[in-house]
């Protein structure tokens, strides 16, 4: 029996047995894994990242079978840094999002983020907004404009992130600390504030680290390699 049709994106696909593929999908009902049979045919050509899809699956277990897979929109064409950014979002979801845990808001934000990457919009605000929304939807979010004691963050203060709880005021500079002005800029998504984007990237790395199991993200390492200057 086929499950109801639902929108989907491919997060990752790899060869499985002789002519099938094992595909990780993102849907409003969560992340799921399914076997796509005849992966060398038309369906296999659709089992690529960043294509809006319509998906039906068979099976009740953890590993399902693809019953129907069709295109549901125009493919999002990502190149260069935008492509690596999209692959980063995909790997992040595979690593952090629990299997078959419905999160329609995450699905919608992912679709908007991929579209924004395809449109050539600035990468860093897109990535930081997605990371923030992902943590918040999974219950790991925290406020940026008040500390763990409920006091308002002050612009000239210094703060340290306490995992899954918030910011602790500190009396002197420590590695990984944040200026209050940086936190307040992030709270308003004011990326014109000097250092705000760099601080947001550092913050998201700290906040995501406990949920990645100590293993580095492959896409992040590839992205850093891409950005390294070439040498003659």
């Amino acid at each position: 029996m086929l499950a109801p049709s639902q929108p989907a994106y491919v997060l990752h696909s790899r060869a499985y047995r002789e002519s099938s593929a094992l595909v990780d999908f993102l849907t409003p009902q969560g992340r799921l894994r399914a076997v796509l049979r005849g992966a060398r045919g038309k369906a296999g050509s659709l089992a690529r990242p960043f294509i809006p899809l319509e998906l039906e699956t068979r099976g009740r277990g953890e590993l399902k079978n693809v019953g129907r897979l069709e295109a549901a929109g125009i493919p999002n064409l990502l190149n260069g840094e935008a492509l690596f950014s999209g692959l980063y979002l995909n790997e992040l979801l595979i690593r952090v999002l629990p299997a078959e845990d419905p999160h329609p808001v995450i699905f919608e934000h992912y679709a908007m983020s991929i579209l924004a990457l395809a449109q050539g919009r600035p990468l860093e605000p897109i990535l930081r907004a997605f990371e923030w929304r992902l943590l918040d939807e999974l219950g790991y979010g925290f406020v940026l404009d008040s500390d763990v004691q409920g006091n308002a963050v002050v612009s000239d203060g210094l703060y340290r992130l306490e995992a899954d709880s918030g910011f602790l005021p500190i009396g002197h500079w420590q590695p990984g600390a944040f200026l209050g002005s940086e936190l307040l800029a992030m709270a308003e998504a004011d990326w014109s504030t000097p250092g705000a984007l760099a601080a947001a990237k550092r913050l998201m790395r700290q906040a995501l680290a406990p949920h990645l199991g100590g293993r580095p993200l492959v896409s992040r390492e590839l992205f850093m390699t891409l950005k390294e200057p070439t040498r003659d």
Side-chain angles (χ1 to χ4, degrees):
M1 181 177 177
L2 285 173
S5 176
Q6 59 181 329
Y9 285 90
V10 169
L11 297 176
H12 185 261
S13 177
R14 65 178 185 271
Y16 181 70
R17 294 181 177 171
E18 290 187 2
S19 60
S20 300
L22 197 59
V23 186
D24 287 288
F25 292 98
L26 177 67
T27 77
Q29 294 305 306
R31 177 178 60 82
L32 63 88
R33 180 169 292 178
V35 175
L36 176 63
R37 304 190 186 282
R40 297 173 185 171
K42 177 185 175 183
S45 67
L46 293 174
R48 294 180 288 116
F50 318 129
I51 301 175
L53 300 169
E54 196 73 23
L55 170 70
E56 292 179 2
T57 58
R58 290 189 178 93
R60 297 179 181 273
E62 212 171 283
L63 182 59
K64 297 173 172 52
N65 290 295
V66 174
R68 183 175 69 89
L69 187 67
E70 294 183 3
I74 300 171
N76 295 290
L77 301 178
L78 307 185
N79 297 291
E81 292 186 357
L83 173 60
F84 281 88
S85 298
L87 294 175
Y88 166 72
L89 296 186
N90 287 4
E91 186 180 7
L92 189 61
L93 287 167
I94 291 173
R95 293 278 297 275
V96 175
L97 187 64
E100 301 192 36
D101 186 13
H103 283 285
V105 171
I106 291 176
F107 180 85
E108 291 299 325
H109 198 66
Y110 173 85
M112 290 188 294
S113 299
I114 293 301
L115 178 59
L117 290 173
Q119 292 172 339
R121 289 164 56 185
L123 303 179
E124 295 292 334
I126 296 170
L127 299 181
R128 303 295 82 82
F130 184 83
E131 292 163 336
W132 177 263
R133 180 61 62 87
L134 178 62
L135 286 168
D136 193 51
E137 287 295 319
L138 293 178
Y140 304 129
F142 44 84
V143 295
L144 292 161
D145 55 4
S146 62
D147 63 25
V148 293
Q149 300 160 346
N151 299 317
V153 165
V154 294
S155 182
D156 59 352
L158 286 172
Y159 299 87
R160 181 182 74 230
L161 178 66
E162 295 289 297
D164 299 337
S165 60
F167 293 95
L168 182 70
I170 55 178
H172 58 277
W173 182 260
Q174 300 174 7
F178 297 89
L179 294 170
S181 58
E182 295 171 338
L183 300 181
L184 294 173
M186 283 187 258
E188 298 294 328
D190 179 9
W191 305 125
S192 64
T193 300
L197 268 176
K201 184 173 186 176
R202 188 159 45 89
L203 173 60
M204 288 297 98
R205 287 202 174 193
Q206 291 183 24
L208 286 165
H211 311 292
L212 293 174
R215 292 185 295 121
L217 290 163
V218 174
S219 54
R220 182 184 286 167
E221 293 182 341
L222 290 173
F223 189 46
M224 294 305 296
T225 301
L226 176 72
K227 297 190 75 167
E228 288 179 357
T230 57
R231 296 177 181 175
D232 296 332

